[in-house]
Amino acid sequence: MSDELFDSTQDVVGVLTDQIEAHFDMDIAQLKAAVAVQPTASPDATEVVRWHGLLVGAQSVLDRAEDDLLAALETQPSEVDDPTMGLAHRVNAAVTARDGRALVVRWLLDPGAPGKKDPAAQRPGQLQRADRTGPAVQTSVAPRPASAPASAARTGKAAQR
């Protein structure tokens, strides 16, 4: 059973690769080649390919960290030493990085994900500019009335004395 769990968690890249291929209706290698030729043709495809590459890299780092930890654990007596705990922390950090990149790929593939719609649609309680019936709030300083400035009035009074 632990082998099944290990295989399923390690196959995050495979599952997301399958989802990418289904989403774009082409093999990941074909998609990467298409993006390399015309990166501006589909910004969505370009972003997915970029983040998929980051995900694959993170999985590779995780695989190496797990291998190093397993090798260290095989030589440990019943208590784990500090260097081996450091390897365990490295595995945890690698899992976090891989999972974070996986979340970004999933978000990129989900057209209805929060933040992907019109920003105004995300804030239903706020008025849109086009919906305003009156003028916007004044943001500049109000003009002064057409009278003599205070400093000129003072100088005039001082000159009369």
Side-chain angles (χ1 to χ4, degrees):
M1 175 149 174
S2 65
D3 288 340
E4 289 174 19
L5 179 62
F6 183 72
D7 290 341
S8 68
T9 58
Q10 199 167 26
D11 199 35
V12 169
V13 175
V15 168
L16 288 172
T17 300
D18 290 345
Q19 290 177 3
I20 291 168
E21 291 173 347
H23 184 82
F24 290 99
D25 197 29
M26 66 173 61
D27 182 73
I28 191 73
Q30 293 171 325
L31 184 61
K32 287 179 181 181
V35 164
V37 171
Q38 287 188 309
T40 58
S42 173
D44 292 341
T46 302
E47 271 306 286
V48 167
V49 166
R50 176 176 166 257
W51 280 96
H52 182 265
L54 293 171
L55 174 63
V56 169
Q59 182 64 52
S60 177
V61 168
L62 174 58
D63 292 342
R64 284 192 305 274
E66 287 175 334
D67 290 345
D68 292 347
L69 178 61
L70 289 174
L73 287 172
E74 288 174 356
T75 64
Q76 290 290 303
S78 61
E79 291 184 29
V80 177
D81 62 8
D82 287 342
T84 305
M85 281 304 292
L87 291 173
H89 290 302
R90 197 173 104 202
V91 168
N92 284 338
V95 167
T96 300
R98 191 267 325 262
D99 289 351
R101 290 171 181 176
L103 285 172
V104 171
V105 170
R106 285 183 52 211
W107 181 84
L108 289 169
L109 293 173
D110 182 1
K116 290 188 119 179
K117 297 178 184 176
D118 178 27
Q122 296 294 316
R123 294 172 264 139
Q126 294 182 351
L127 289 176
Q128 312 253 339
R129 257 182 208 256
D131 295 339
R132 275 195 207 136
T133 56
V137 176
Q138 186 174 352
T139 58
S140 61
V141 177
R144 291 189 165 230
S147 64
S151 61
R154 271 192 241 129
T155 10
K157 286 182 183 178
Q160 289 177 358
R161 287 188 188 175

